Amino acid sequence: MVKKKGDKGTKVTLKTARKAIWITPDGRCRLTLSNMGITIFPKCLLKLTDVDELDLSRNLIQTLPNNIGNFLSLRWLDLHSNKLESVPESIGNLVGLTHLNLANNRLTSTGLPSSLGSLSNLKSLNLGMNQLDALPPTLVALENLQELGLFDNLFVKMPEFVKALCNLTKVNVVRNPLSYARGNGAGVLKKSELKEDVYLAIESSLCKTCLKKCKVQREEFKRGGKGGRGDRVDDDMLEEKRAKTYSGLMVPNSVAKVNQAVWRIKHNPATQTLICA
């Protein structure tokens, strides 16, 4: 039974939590308490630390307990759309995590612990829709990371460590104030001045049609606009931008359909497809 407790939001009992556990098609134990008006992380959940997946998304939770790291069996943790301003250091204990969704919170760069770099099995990390302008450099250790969501934040430049993540196939940085400094250091080209939103993807992940389209668009950009006329960008700025490219990554519009369904990679390999716009 779920009890209401005044302004403190929904109170979840141990009995309620146990009833919210179900077995996924691939045999994992998932505890789902999404969209229930929870304002305080239910202490009773600490008695259910053997679950494989925990969904507390779309609530009003402001803080996580310091012993969140006790959920050692977790492989999938969804905390998107809450009111979190920081994440405890102990989250680094969840070394079995493959998917972590912290999107649509109130996280700032100082609220992200360096221990996130200990999540060596992480494949998908969604930090979109927060207030981030930098990431802990320890994330360079996430060698298994395949997808990184940084959309709707405050980044003016891509984190340097991103280009070192060899298994990364998708980075979403749409709606960030990305800037490109000109060669003389004076003036910037702000995202609001760009005609296209930026997505990054490994070329081999694109279909032949999208890959051909992206290559054409890239050549046009290098020439300063279609046919080499109009919308010409300062040569110094272009040179600076080229110097900051990421090996093996392109900026296609074909990886445009990014939503919660895409970020939650299905466990069944047959469902893992790339959606092209």
Side-chain angles (χ1 to χ4, degrees):
M1 178 178 180
V2 178
K3 299 180 180 179
K4 293 289 184 178
K5 202 169 184 179
D7 295 334
K8 294 185 178 180
T10 303
K11 180 180 179 181
V12 178
T13 64
L14 181 58
K15 182 178 180 180
T16 300
R18 283 176 172 161
K19 287 184 177 181
I21 296 177
W22 55 287
I23 305 300
T24 64
D26 55 349
R28 295 189 178 186
C29 292
R30 177 181 294 181
L31 173 54
T32 301
L33 295 171
S34 178
N35 197 24
M36 294 182 62
I38 301 171
T39 58
I40 300 175
F41 188 95
K43 292 183 179 180
C44 64
L45 300 189
L46 295 172
K47 296 182 180 180
L48 302 172
T49 55
D50 56 343
V51 296
D52 301 306
E53 303 182 357
L54 177 59
D55 183 359
L56 285 168
S57 64
R58 295 185 294 165
N59 283 295
L60 304 168
I61 300 172
Q62 298 181 28
T63 59
L64 298 176
N66 290 328
N67 48 2
I68 188 71
N70 289 357
F71 288 85
L72 298 178
S73 297
L74 275 187
R75 299 295 180 269
W76 185 84
L77 177 58
D78 193 347
L79 293 165
H80 87 266
S81 303
N82 277 282
K83 295 185 177 182
L84 298 174
E85 296 182 1
S86 63
V87 178
E89 282 281 349
S90 64
I91 200 169
N93 295 340
L94 308 181
V95 294
L97 270 186
T98 58
H99 297 78
L100 176 59
N101 192 344
L102 293 169
N104 195 20
N105 278 282
R106 299 176 178 178
L107 297 171
T108 61
S109 297
T110 57
L112 292 182
S114 59
S115 61
L116 283 175
S118 299
L119 305 180
S120 56
N121 289 300
L122 207 59
K123 294 181 179 179
S124 175
L125 176 59
N126 193 346
L127 295 170
M129 299 179 71
N130 281 289
Q131 301 169 30
L132 305 171
D133 57 12
L135 296 178
T138 53
L139 295 190
V140 70
L142 302 182
E143 56 184 20
N144 289 308
L145 194 65
Q146 298 174 7
E147 298 194 1
L148 177 61
L150 301 177
F151 54 92
D152 292 284
N153 275 289
L154 303 174
F155 292 96
V156 296
K157 64 179 180 179
M158 286 288 290
E160 287 296 323
F161 68 82
V162 170
K163 55 189 175 185
L165 299 176
C166 58
N167 287 311
L168 196 63
T169 59
K170 189 182 296 182
V171 182
N172 186 356
V173 292
V174 65
R175 292 182 296 277
N176 275 275
L178 294 173
S179 302
Y180 301 99
R182 289 195 173 103
N184 58 11
V188 294
L189 178 63
K190 297 181 179 179
K191 176 184 172 293
S192 59
E193 297 175 72
L194 296 175
K195 290 187 176 181
E196 306 289 346
D197 290 327
V198 178
Y199 295 89
L200 302 180
I202 295 293
E203 292 186 18
S204 58
S205 298
L206 303 176
C207 64
K208 291 183 179 179
T209 301
C210 292
L211 180 58
K212 182 178 179 180
K213 180 179 179 181
C214 292
K215 287 183 176 180
V216 171
Q217 291 177 342
R218 181 170 60 183
E219 290 305 314
E220 289 175 350
F221 177 77
K222 288 180 179 179
R223 292 195 301 267
K226 291 186 177 181
R229 298 187 303 272
D231 298 324
R232 184 170 296 279
V233 185
D234 183 270
D235 289 340
D236 290 337
M237 186 281 293
L238 275 176
E239 199 62 35
E240 180 73 13
K241 182 177 174 64
R242 290 171 189 153
K244 293 185 177 181
T245 56
Y246 296 86
S247 177
L249 295 178
M250 294 184 67
V251 286
N253 287 327
S254 58
V255 195
K257 294 185 179 179
V258 180
N259 50 42
Q260 290 298 328
V262 175
W263 281 106
R264 290 185 182 181
I265 299 176
K266 302 299 182 183
H267 294 291
N268 183 355
T271 67
Q272 297 182 13
T273 59
L274 178 67
I275 304 176
C276 294

